[in-house]
Amino acid sequence: MSDARDRMVARAARELKPGMVVNLGIGLPTRVVNHLPADFPVCLHTENGLTGIGPTLSAEQADRNLIDAGGAYVSTVPGSAFFDSATSFALVRSGRLDLTMLGAFEVGANGDLANWKIPGKFSPGVGGGIELAQKARRVVVLTTHTDRAGNPKLKDRCSLPLTAKGCVARIFTDMAVIDVGQGGFTLVETAHEVSPSEVADATGAPLNIPETTLPRF
């Protein structure tokens, strides 16, 4: 990953608190585990049937039967548990996840999330993301601030098919940390060497910028 993305993932890892049950979604969120201390007391969940996830491993180091939802090889920790998909989704549907971290194609200023389908491109389906977005107690997103063409991913309203409405509480990007509330997007932190005005210019919706010196990550 680029330094900017690596800093974003490391900053997102600080969102995890001791004792939480946390789902790490496909893509950038699965890398969060590699930024946690080895003895950090958190229960990480992947919807393909595992709680208690350790750092990702190379193919040479891994037990190739152990993968996360994105197909990366993962390790176990003391207390890890394996179960079928029905049990895994029962955990999700019953509201037992304190936090889920998801990727995104778009996030609306009203908290809407679009992360499963770009028309004209292959998608295997909405999958477990729709239930994670609806049922977790808190939903945060990790994504680049713009797409490869430089278009904003943070928009006034999503134009892509929605995963869930009004679910996103916080967004971590390579440029900033942004909260989503009744007033839309609010800037919380900026990446090093990125100004609030640069974040505003790269955001496709009004951005509330506090009149204080913001932390950097």
Side-chain angles (χ1 to χ4, degrees):
M1 288 192 296
S2 68
D3 287 344
R5 291 190 186 188
D6 197 49
R7 289 198 304 270
M8 168 182 62
V9 175
R11 171 60 186 88
R14 288 160 43 198
E15 196 79 356
L16 278 63
K17 307 300 180 188
M20 278 186 166
V21 179
V22 180
N23 175 275
L24 301 179
I26 295 171
L28 291 169
T30 61
R31 299 177 181 264
V32 166
V33 63
N34 297 321
H35 291 272
L36 297 175
D39 59 350
F40 192 76
V42 66
C43 181
L44 299 179
H45 166 270
T46 178
E47 62 262 34
N48 58 322
L50 171 64
T51 52
I53 302 171
T56 56
L57 300 174
S58 67
E60 293 73 27
Q61 298 173 303
D63 175 344
R64 299 193 183 188
N65 293 307
L66 300 182
I67 60 172
D68 62 22
Y73 295 120
V74 294
S75 55
T76 56
V77 298
S80 294
F82 304 94
F83 34 83
D84 60 21
S85 291
T87 301
S88 186
F89 277 96
L91 291 170
V92 177
R93 292 166 181 163
S94 59
R96 285 176 164 80
L97 296 179
D98 296 299
L99 175 71
T100 187
M101 295 183 152
L102 301 173
F105 297 139
E106 293 179 343
V107 180
N110 59 354
D112 289 354
L113 172 65
N115 74 348
W116 75 277
K117 177 69 173 176
I118 295 177
K121 295 187 177 181
F122 171 77
S123 170
V126 69
I130 191 169
E131 297 192 82
L132 291 167
Q134 291 179 346
K135 300 298 185 181
R137 296 170 188 169
R138 180 172 169 83
V139 177
V140 302
V141 161
L142 281 72
T143 184
T144 55
H145 209 92
T146 61
D147 64 19
R148 293 179 181 177
N151 301 308
K153 288 189 174 183
L154 280 59
K155 308 176 74 171
D156 187 53
R157 291 288 186 272
C158 293
S159 59
L160 297 174
L162 293 184
T163 307
K165 294 183 177 180
C167 63
V168 178
R170 173 167 283 190
I171 308 163
F172 298 92
T173 79
D174 49 343
M175 297 182 72
V177 179
I178 293 173
D179 279 348
V180 186
Q182 291 186 347
F185 294 133
T186 297
L187 186 61
V188 176
E189 298 177 23
T190 61
H192 283 291
E193 301 181 356
V194 177
S195 69
S197 61
E198 289 175 315
V199 178
D201 289 344
T203 303
L207 179 65
N208 301 310
I209 301 176
E211 295 182 359
T212 59
T213 300
L214 296 172
R216 294 181 180 272
F217 63 92

